[in-house]
Amino acid sequence: MVKRNKLFAVAMVLFLLVGTLGCSSQSQSGSGDSKDNPKQPYKIGLLIPMSGDAGDHGQIMIDGAKIAQEEINAAGGILGRQVELIPFDSAANTEKGVTGAKKLIEQDKVDALVGTYRTGVALAVMDVAADAKIPFLISMAASDEIRNKIGKDNSYYKYVFKVAPDVADYTANLLPFLTDITKAKTYYYAAENTAWAKQLGSVMKKQAEAAGIKLVGEAYVDTSATEFTATIMDIKKANPDVVVCGIITAPGVPFAKQYYDAKVPVPMVVTSGVLTIPNTIKNMGAQSDYISFGLFNIDKPITDLTVPFWEKFQEKYGYRGTGFNEVKTYDSIRILAEAINKAGSFDKDALAKTLETEQFKGLAGTYKFDETDHQAKWGEGYVNGVLAEWKDGKAQVIWPENVRDSALIRAPWWK
Amino acid sequence: MAFIQLVISGVLQGGLYALIALGLTLTLGVMRITDLSYGVYYTLGAYFSFFFIIKLGFNFVLAGILSVVLAFLIGLLVERLLLRRIISDELSVMILTFAFAYALEEIIVFVWGSPFRTLPPYAIGTLNIGGILLEKQRLVSFAVAVVLIVLVLLFLKKTRFGKALRMVSQQQHGAYLVGIDVQLIQRLTFAVGSFLAASAAVLLSPIYLVYPAMGWSPLLKAFGIVILGGMGSVKGTIIAAFALALIEVLSSYYINQSLSQVSFFVVLILVILIRPSGLFGNREGV
Amino acid sequence: MVLEARGLTKRFGGLVAVSDVSLTINQGEFVGLIGPNGAGKTTLFNLLTGFHRPSAGTVVFKGEDITGLKTSGRVHLGLARTFQIVQPFPELTVSEHVQVGLLTNKRKKQINVQQEIEEILNAVGLVEKSNDLAKHLSLGQLKRLEIARAMATGPSMILLDEPFGGLGQHEIAAIQELITDLQHKGVTILIIEHVLKAIMNLCQRVIVLNEGRILAQGTPEEIINNPEVVGAYLGKTDSGQLKKVL
Ligand SMILES: Nc1ncnc2c1ncn2[C@@H]1O[C@H](COP(=O)(O)OP(=O)(O)O)[C@@H](O)[C@H]1O
Ligand SMILES: [Mg+2]
């Protein structure tokens, strides 16, 4: 008996080990050549996950990047140089990300880096890029640690810019659901017990309070939870005007199903994750109806680039974009090209200056980087998202008004 | 009222936990191994039914039966080809089953990709009995789980195989001495365990998500349940499964929702401290 | 000849527990297997009954080569054994132990199960205990239960591993009587005993094992007067002292 328990303990330790295997490493400086020869292609290294737990996302990013590359090259390239993409599989792993960045810089002699899905990878690769004085556009990693790091030493991270949305942008994207669409006075935050969801929760609370909306209850469920009676009863008891859902991994689906079946009389909006992915929704039937969610992009005329891009993407690859991975990769590459063209030279300092001062058009709106922390600004006139609602397995855009398919479709049992 | 609703939800969940843990407790008792790949059969059961229902368009009954039969056969193969050689070395078994589970996860990613999948529910809607809500899908899954558990219990009590299984579980050497083919019983028990894990997945995949790493969480829960119930005790396992579900749902409503998993392990540790052999574990105390 | 071993060898890593052992046991014979602790007696039993695969050598039972046969198969052929450390089913009653043994019995079609259980329990003196769970029995009772379970499988040969170990004088006498009865019923018996005295009067032949090898065999009388045996036990040749120990 005792022996068995010991073995079980060993097993537990093994589990924990595997869970924490991702370790970080310090970076060394590399050397970068500047090659302004117009005959040479302009090489962009893509640091993206093509294996590991985020492995699905990499191909979508490449697919988005290729469209940007084609468009730029068809229009004469970057100051006459054709764009060449060199992807590297970072496996969403810090160590591999650093190795990849060094390989791209030292062996492939890339002119710029785009990518990283995980914040940890971005934070490590930033240093490699800064040491090598290689421009690095962070396309997806969201945590505000990145912009804080840039803000603290923006002469060192002169060439690092964050195209990716900030944590606060995730919640700012949902805010119109409370202020404009439902005119809510109160909300309930149902999320999973992770650092990310907690971060979202506290930012959301600040933004909501600033808009005069009160948090009346919150739940942080375990990421392995499968039964949500307690959560749903707590929501009913708190009786909020809106439920904001931050359950973005596996438990999101059983939660949404139970929420639907319990006919909770409160509209729900989801920040991102499983419940925003068409593939997940596909077989959920009616149980996905009336779930609203934030998206960073969709095939609506957000800018004049947006609809043609989505059509091209669908036609070229035969599947629908996610509104995030392909969009942010595409936008990053376009911004890089537009900035160099605007600067009129390949000089890196001129590029940095242009990125800091000018505005750039992308699929998600107009990119304007903060002068200090290099974070792309969010909101009207800048980059902005959309809100949509699932109905009969289709995403109906419900905000902003100028591009929406319909107003919020109300479930019969809502109050 | 709230309490009744919570208890009912807990009981519905408990039935499925019991089904998952039952297979593990049988394997543990009969084979005396710590099988860290048990969750794989849960994952496989879910992917098989996804494949049969969504890709081939079979109805869910046929898909469910095919899935669990396939899992049973894979269990037989794994026991014969993988475990048999190393069964007497517990550490090797743990390392090998752990590695096997990871390898299989990669194979699933290779074959079916890593995106989340969902299955349509086969019973939609909710019964409202005097304010108590009962989701039909969970009710159906619970009912099937209870039927399966009762069948397994009858099978253990009434059939020759069941009796032999219980004897191997009680005293392996003794079982040899009365002419029981212990290895055969172990192989079949392992396959029955795979079958039970897969059937839990078939019943739960219309409620949950299907994805390659889905088997780890049930594995951990099943281990917790089996330890709480007393290694290899069927009765203890079933009681512990319901206890786990009730602790989860009650603690998350009355204490804090993020404590549902923690509270079970707190109870588990307390029980182990007071009764190292678990609630009903006495077999090895003889 | 009912059992024959040829060149049996068993290695555990570098340790040779049983080394090139050949022996024959005749139908109805009562043979003792003695030797100091660690001599390889139990290992030899494990090889004969299929709990271990031999590193070399063969086992022939009733003219059939059973070297590759599983334990269960050997039990079905009529080769039963007991363990030095008893191995009961804690949650089964005494009569259930006999019952499960009978499931393997070749004659089960012709026998009245209930009557057979009673007969066996009578023979081992556990009738009053027939409804007790094994986990509630004393060591002496468990040792007898172990023999009862072996008897139920209908063996033509039984291997007994130290059936007297840890028992008092009274219990020893009861088991001695029980195995004498068995022999009278025509069952061939091979018995391991650490202390020769307990089987002196029972055995027709004694085999002495030392460091995995057969050191000597012969009648009990010959064995206790064999200086090599004495040496193995005591490290010196003093048969007077040896007689006390054995
Ligand atoms: N399964 C095993 N693995 C390793 N060594 C063993 C094993 N079984 C027995 N031995 C060793 O083989 C030798 C003979 O043991 P055993 O047959 O039990 O002796 P006996 O029964 O004569 O006292 C001892 O040295 C013992 O430690
Ligand atoms: Mg011994």
Side-chain angles (χ1 to χ4, degrees):
Chain A
M1 193 69 230
V2 171
K3 188 174 165 220
R4 237 164 232 291
N5 283 338
K6 265 192 202 140
L7 283 171
F8 185 68
V10 173
M12 287 293 204
V13 170
L14 274 176
F15 275 118
L16 292 177
L17 269 181
V18 168
T20 51
L21 271 183
C23 12
S24 61
S25 84
Q26 262 324 104
S27 58
Q28 297 268 295
S29 73
S31 69
D33 297 6
S34 71
K35 310 168 266 29
D36 303 346
N37 186 342
K39 305 276 178 323
Q40 289 239 351
Y42 188 84
K43 292 182 187 170
I44 301 176
L46 293 177
L47 272 175
I48 52 179
M50 292 190 282
S51 60
D53 62 337
D56 280 350
H57 301 285
Q59 190 55 47
I60 307 175
M61 297 173 197
I62 292 184
D63 288 346
K66 276 190 184 153
I67 294 183
Q69 176 194 26
E70 275 168 24
E71 287 178 1
I72 294 164
N73 287 346
I78 301 178
L79 295 181
R81 281 167 69 181
Q82 293 283 295
V83 170
E84 184 184 329
L85 299 175
I86 308 179
F88 185 93
D89 177 15
S90 64
N93 169 305
T94 305
E95 214 130 312
K96 280 200 186 150
V98 169
T99 314
K102 286 182 184 165
K103 184 242 169 204
L104 288 169
I105 292 169
E106 287 163 17
Q107 285 180 29
D108 301 314
K109 309 253 185 278
V110 296
D111 296 282
L113 288 173
V114 164
T116 91
Y117 184 75
R118 289 270 149 81
T119 296
V121 186
L123 289 171
V125 169
M126 268 168 77
D127 293 339
V128 180
D131 282 341
K133 299 199 186 331
I134 292 287
F136 175 30
L137 268 59
I138 297 169
S139 50
M140 262 118 1
S143 169
D144 52 9
E145 282 173 71
I146 298 171
R147 59 159 233 243
N148 291 342
K149 192 170 170 179
I150 299 173
K152 268 185 209 139
D153 192 356
N154 72 359
S155 59
Y156 179 55
Y157 298 114
K158 197 169 170 181
Y159 315 108
V160 181
F161 288 80
K162 191 175 163 210
V163 176
D166 197 35
V167 186
D169 304 341
Y170 276 81
T171 50
N173 195 13
L174 303 184
L175 209 59
F177 188 83
L178 285 80
T179 53
D180 294 13
I181 297 174
T182 57
K183 311 244 181 300
K185 294 271 169 292
T186 57
Y187 79 103
Y188 186 103
Y189 186 55
E192 50 196 19
N193 201 3
T194 59
W196 170 250
K198 284 189 168 157
Q199 210 179 345
L200 282 181
S202 73
V203 177
M204 179 83 210
K205 193 174 169 206
K206 266 185 224 141
Q207 291 173 347
E209 273 170 3
I213 302 163
K214 228 183 95 200
L215 175 70
V216 290
E218 53 186 347
Y220 289 99
V221 302
D222 195 272
T223 46
S224 66
T226 49
E227 217 289 333
F228 300 94
T229 304
T231 313
I232 285 166
M233 285 170 58
D234 196 49
I235 291 172
K236 284 181 175 168
K237 203 167 68 180
N239 191 27
D241 295 334
V242 167
V243 170
V244 175
C245 175
I247 307 177
I248 61 176
T249 62
V253 167
F255 173 70
K257 288 182 172 185
Q258 220 171 349
Y259 190 86
Y260 178 92
D261 281 344
K263 306 246 178 300
V264 181
V266 183
M268 174 161 83
V269 64
V270 188
T271 163
S272 57
V274 278
L275 289 170
T276 68
I277 301 169
N279 243 334
T280 319
I281 298 305
K282 202 160 64 188
N283 300 312
M284 273 177 72
Q287 286 171 317
S288 67
D289 282 354
Y290 312 115
I291 299 173
S292 297
F293 55 102
L295 280 177
F296 288 110
N297 203 236
I298 200 162
D299 50 347
K300 294 286 172 191
I302 315 279
T303 71
D304 57 358
L305 297 173
T306 319
V307 174
F309 170 83
W310 281 78
E311 280 172 358
K312 217 181 278 179
F313 192 93
Q314 176 78 44
E315 190 185 317
K316 199 168 151 83
Y317 306 115
Y319 73 100
R320 206 179 138 77
T322 60
F324 186 57
N325 294 312
E326 76 290 2
V327 168
K328 288 295 166 186
T329 314
Y330 172 97
D331 279 357
S332 300
I333 292 171
R334 266 199 87 97
I335 291 167
L336 196 59
E338 198 184 336
I340 297 171
N341 281 333
K342 272 189 176 153
S345 97
F346 289 104
D347 179 66
K348 285 171 192 163
D349 291 321
L351 170 63
K353 182 111 196 88
T354 313
L355 283 169
E356 264 186 14
T357 51
E358 299 281 333
Q359 297 195 346
F360 309 92
K361 191 158 62 175
L363 303 172
T366 303
Y367 286 86
K368 172 85 185 77
F369 295 99
D370 186 279
E371 278 161 32
T372 319
D373 63 19
H374 296 180
Q375 167 70 49
K377 292 183 178 178
W378 181 272
E380 240 188 302
Y382 299 116
V383 176
N384 219 341
V386 295
L387 287 164
E389 182 182 12
W390 292 115
K391 188 74 183 65
D392 305 324
K394 283 203 183 62
Q396 305 287 331
V397 174
I398 54 171
W399 190 89
E401 259 176 55
N402 61 335
V403 299
R404 78 177 185 192
D405 294 310
S406 74
L408 178 70
I409 305 158
R410 299 186 59 83
W413 54 85
W414 287 352
K415 58 185 177 186
Chain B
M1 193 67 185
F3 183 74
I4 297 170
Q5 171 77 67
L6 291 166
V7 167
I8 288 174
S9 298
V11 167
L12 292 184
Q13 184 83 345
L16 290 153
Y17 283 173
L19 186 63
I20 297 174
L22 190 56
L24 189 67
T25 213
L26 291 179
T27 321
L28 204 85
V30 168
M31 304 186 73
R32 308 295 171 88
I33 58 167
T34 309
D35 176 16
L36 297 178
S37 68
Y38 185 65
V40 157
Y41 304 97
Y42 180 82
T43 313
L44 283 177
Y47 271 95
F48 288 153
S49 48
F50 171 81
F51 178 74
F52 289 128
I53 293 173
I54 302 295
K55 299 285 176 202
L56 300 186
F58 292 0
N59 73 51
F60 62 85
V61 175
L62 178 62
I65 292 171
L66 284 174
S67 305
V68 296
V69 168
L70 269 177
F72 181 89
L73 295 176
I74 290 174
L76 283 182
L77 271 181
V78 168
E79 201 279 347
R80 180 68 195 86
L81 300 177
L82 230 58
L83 289 176
R84 181 46 56 193
R85 297 151 199 268
I86 51 153
I87 191 162
S88 52
D89 181 355
E90 284 205 62
L91 195 61
S92 300
V93 168
M94 274 173 46
I95 293 167
L96 193 93
T97 52
F98 193 62
F100 175 67
Y102 262 99
L104 224 95
E105 197 175 317
E106 288 303 315
I107 292 173
I108 287 173
V109 170
F110 181 76
V111 176
W112 282 295
S114 55
F116 290 126
R117 316 275 189 180
T118 42
L119 284 174
Y122 40 80
I124 303 174
T126 310
L127 297 179
N128 187 334
I129 302 171
I132 302 290
L133 295 179
L134 295 168
E135 288 156 73
K136 287 182 191 163
Q137 176 64 56
R138 282 182 200 257
L139 273 180
V140 172
S141 296
F142 174 77
V144 178
V146 168
V147 168
L148 279 173
I149 291 169
V150 169
L151 284 177
V152 169
L153 293 183
L154 284 176
F155 177 74
L156 286 178
K157 269 238 138 39
K158 302 286 175 200
T159 64
R160 276 189 67 167
F161 171 73
K163 283 183 185 150
L165 187 154
R166 281 191 297 146
M167 278 185 279
V168 175
S169 166
Q170 279 183 38
Q171 188 18 270
Q172 197 165 309
H173 284 134
Y176 278 115
L177 294 188
V178 293
I180 292 171
D181 187 341
V182 173
Q183 301 187 358
L184 180 70
I185 299 294
Q186 288 181 327
R187 183 163 311 146
L188 289 173
T189 306
F190 189 81
V192 168
S194 312
F195 160 89
L196 289 173
S199 20
V202 166
L203 295 174
L204 287 173
S205 44
I207 304 175
Y208 303 167
L209 269 179
V210 178
Y211 58 103
M214 66 188 288
W216 293 108
S217 161
L219 172 73
L220 271 184
K221 280 191 181 164
F223 264 110
I225 290 168
V226 168
I227 292 173
L228 181 64
M231 305 277 181
S233 157
V234 169
K235 184 171 81 177
T237 297
I238 292 173
I239 291 172
F242 283 97
L244 165 62
L246 286 169
I247 290 170
E248 276 183 2
V249 71
L250 291 174
S251 69
S252 56
Y253 187 74
Y254 290 112
I255 307 174
N256 185 314
Q257 301 201 33
S258 47
L259 286 185
S260 70
Q261 313 296 304
V262 180
S263 52
F264 174 69
F265 283 98
V266 169
V267 171
L268 179 61
I269 289 164
L270 286 180
V271 170
I272 296 297
L273 286 178
I274 298 163
R275 260 190 79 94
S277 55
L279 289 177
F280 292 87
N282 54 7
R283 191 193 65 220
E284 303 194 3
V286 173
Chain C
M1 186 175 64
V2 61
L3 181 81
E4 182 182 6
R6 281 188 229 119
L8 274 184
T9 300
K10 179 68 185 178
R11 290 184 204 94
F12 294 113
L15 175 89
V16 187
V18 170
S19 175
D20 194 23
V21 167
S22 299
L23 53 82
T24 55
I25 312 265
N26 294 317
Q27 177 67 48
E29 218 183 342
F30 195 129
V31 180
L33 180 63
I34 67 165
N37 256 325
K41 306 181 294 290
T42 300
T43 306
L44 180 58
F45 266 24
N46 285 338
L47 295 175
L48 296 175
T49 52
F51 279 88
H52 287 155
R53 292 265 162 272
S55 311
T58 51
V59 183
V60 177
F61 184 63
K62 291 184 187 165
E64 190 178 328
D65 186 339
I66 57 166
T67 316
L69 197 65
K70 290 179 187 173
T71 301
S72 52
R74 299 182 199 208
V75 173
H76 287 273
L77 283 180
L79 183 61
R81 84 172 275 189
T82 65
F83 275 92
Q84 183 173 353
I85 300 157
V86 290
Q87 312 280 346
F89 302 114
E91 304 292 334
L92 292 194
T93 65
V94 167
S95 70
E96 281 170 332
H97 275 75
V98 179
Q99 207 179 341
V100 295
L102 285 170
L103 289 176
T104 9
N105 197 315
K106 275 254 182 61
R107 301 176 294 124
K108 67 179 167 237
K109 295 238 161 53
Q110 308 128 44
I111 56 174
N112 175 334
V113 173
Q114 213 44 51
Q115 194 183 323
E116 190 82 1
I117 292 174
E118 247 165 68
E119 240 167 65
I120 291 173
L121 289 183
N122 236 328
V124 300
L126 285 174
V127 181
E128 321 85 85
K129 296 277 169 192
S130 69
N131 291 323
D132 287 16
L133 290 181
K135 62 183 176 186
H136 298 138
L137 298 186
S138 71
L139 180 63
Q141 290 163 338
L142 285 173
K143 290 252 178 187
R144 280 182 277 149
L145 178 62
E146 189 97 340
I147 297 173
R149 183 174 62 188
M151 285 166 67
T153 61
S156 47
M157 177 169 185
I158 293 191
L159 311 187
L160 301 163
D161 196 344
E162 301 201 20
F164 311 122
L167 297 187
Q169 206 46 57
H170 194 68
E171 290 269 13
I172 291 179
I175 292 181
Q176 279 175 330
E177 196 178 316
L178 167 56
I179 47 188
T180 317
D181 278 355
L182 271 179
Q183 193 203 4
H184 290 154
K185 283 183 189 144
V187 180
T188 311
I189 294 172
L190 179 60
I191 181 168
I192 293 180
E193 195 37 63
H194 187 62
V195 183
L196 184 55
K197 220 171 160 185
I199 50 172
M200 266 294 268
N201 305 323
L202 303 172
C203 294
Q204 297 155 351
R205 179 157 63 106
V206 173
I207 300 173
V208 185
L209 212 58
N210 187 38
E211 293 176 353
R213 295 178 175 279
I214 293 184
L215 184 68
Q217 49 180 311
T219 63
E221 213 37 52
E222 286 165 8
I223 291 302
I224 48 171
N225 292 314
N226 183 327
E228 269 192 274
V229 176
V230 176
Y233 268 86
L234 288 177
K236 57 177 177 178
T237 35
D238 179 347
S239 72
Q241 275 209 2
L242 180 64
K243 274 175 193 154
K244 280 183 213 148
V245 177
L246 297 176

